[in-house]
Amino acid sequence: SQKIEQNSEALNIQEGKTATLTCNYTNYSPAYLQWYRQDPGRGPVFLLLIRENEKEKRKERLKVTFDTTLKQSLFHITASQPADSATYLCALRGGGSYIPTFGRGTSLIVHP
Amino acid sequence: DSGVTQTPKHLITATGQRVTLRCSPRSGDLSVYWYQQSLDQGLQFLIQYYNGEERAKGNILERFSAQQFPDLHSELNLSSLELGDSALYFCASSVGGWDRGETQYFGPGTRLLVL
């Protein structure tokens, strides 16, 4: 069956360090993958999209990689700040599918 | 502020009842998506409408239905409510469809509590 897996355990890091979050998937051939940020009780906010033919995408302190061989995307936040503390969701669209599928998210906690 | 509005913000009702959740997409967006988010299930896609037509269906229960009106606002109807329907319900919108990789803009959500 199709699955998207994100670490269920919270990631705790110190301010200034790089946070790396993982999104693994099985039985998908995604055309693209998106990352969203969600704060408690609020709707997800889009951060980055990466397509199947792209290896890496950057936006300010954010970087996403996409390895279709490993079936994995990594999401990096450099020089992390306490304000980056939130849950980060990955979402993908399988080839030929109109249905968005989200991972359950990983909570990031950045300590001052 | 994403530009997507949802009403009401909170809803408390009893089992067996019916409720209607409303969503207004961002100006210019033709697609509306509905999601359910509970602690044990994560963000689950329910249904998508594009310019008034149903485009995609996820794990939406038969007790739930939705529609998109000519002015592009959408309503999600939940009937014969059960305790397990308690969740956050999000609406999102995009210009076109998910198939193009377009950004979805999420509303603030409606928190439904079924007692």
Side-chain angles (χ1 to χ4, degrees):
Chain A
S1 64
Q2 296 177 320
K3 253 198 277 188
I4 302 176
E5 291 180 342
Q6 295 185 256
N7 278 350
S8 56
E9 282 185 26
L11 177 63
N12 286 271
I13 64 168
Q14 286 299 123
E15 184 175 7
K17 300 291 186 187
T18 295
T20 298
L21 306 174
T22 305
C23 177
N24 294 304
Y25 58 91
T26 53
N27 294 325
Y28 278 102
S29 296
Y32 57 76
L33 189 146
Q34 297 182 343
W35 283 88
Y36 288 77
R37 168 186 172 138
Q38 187 174 24
D39 292 284
R42 307 191 71 168
V45 175
F46 172 78
L47 297 174
L48 279 170
L49 174 147
I50 187 163
R51 298 188 184 275
E52 60 181 333
N53 59 349
E54 297 173 319
K55 296 281 188 200
E56 183 179 297
K57 220 39 170 320
R58 289 174 187 263
K59 179 183 173 184
E60 297 171 354
R61 294 186 296 114
L62 309 180
K63 183 177 90 170
V64 172
T65 63
F66 196 10
D67 188 326
T68 55
T69 302
L70 288 180
K71 297 187 182 298
Q72 181 182 80
S73 175
L74 298 179
F75 177 79
H76 307 272
I77 305 175
T78 58
S80 58
Q81 304 163 1
D84 295 327
S85 299
T87 296
Y88 291 85
L89 309 172
C90 68
L92 58 80
R93 175 218 161 202
S97 169
Y98 287 95
I99 294 178
T101 307
F102 281 78
R104 296 190 59 178
T106 298
S107 174
L108 172 66
I109 302 167
V110 182
H111 299 276
Chain B
D1 183 3
S2 66
V4 177
T5 60
Q6 289 187 248
T7 55
K9 282 193 172 171
H10 303 277
L11 202 45
I12 302 175
T13 188
T15 54
Q17 295 298 304
R18 173 189 167 96
V19 297
T20 297
L21 312 183
R22 184 187 165 102
C23 168
S24 292
R26 291 188 326 151
S27 176
D29 285 359
L30 298 179
S31 270
V32 169
Y33 309 77
W34 285 99
Y35 292 87
Q36 179 192 59
Q37 188 173 41
S38 56
L39 281 174
D40 58 340
Q41 291 289 331
L43 196 63
Q44 299 287 313
F45 169 74
L46 295 178
I47 197 163
Q48 178 205 355
Y49 281 83
Y50 176 78
N51 203 20
E53 302 278 331
E54 182 184 302
R55 171 66 71 90
K57 216 168 190 175
N59 296 325
I60 186 167
L61 299 171
E62 283 191 16
R63 301 184 284 108
F64 296 1
S65 64
Q67 55 183 326
Q68 186 179 28
F69 295 87
D71 67 352
L72 301 177
H73 91 271
S74 178
E75 292 180 356
L76 178 67
N77 299 297
L78 315 176
S79 61
S80 302
L81 284 167
E82 301 175 359
L83 296 178
D85 297 328
S86 297
L88 261 173
Y89 290 84
F90 288 107
C91 166
S93 73
S94 65
V95 174
W98 173 255
D99 55 311
R100 297 183 187 180
E102 294 191 10
T103 300
Q104 291 185 53
Y105 295 88
F106 282 78
T110 292
R111 186 175 292 279
L112 173 67
L113 181 58
V114 182
L115 300 174

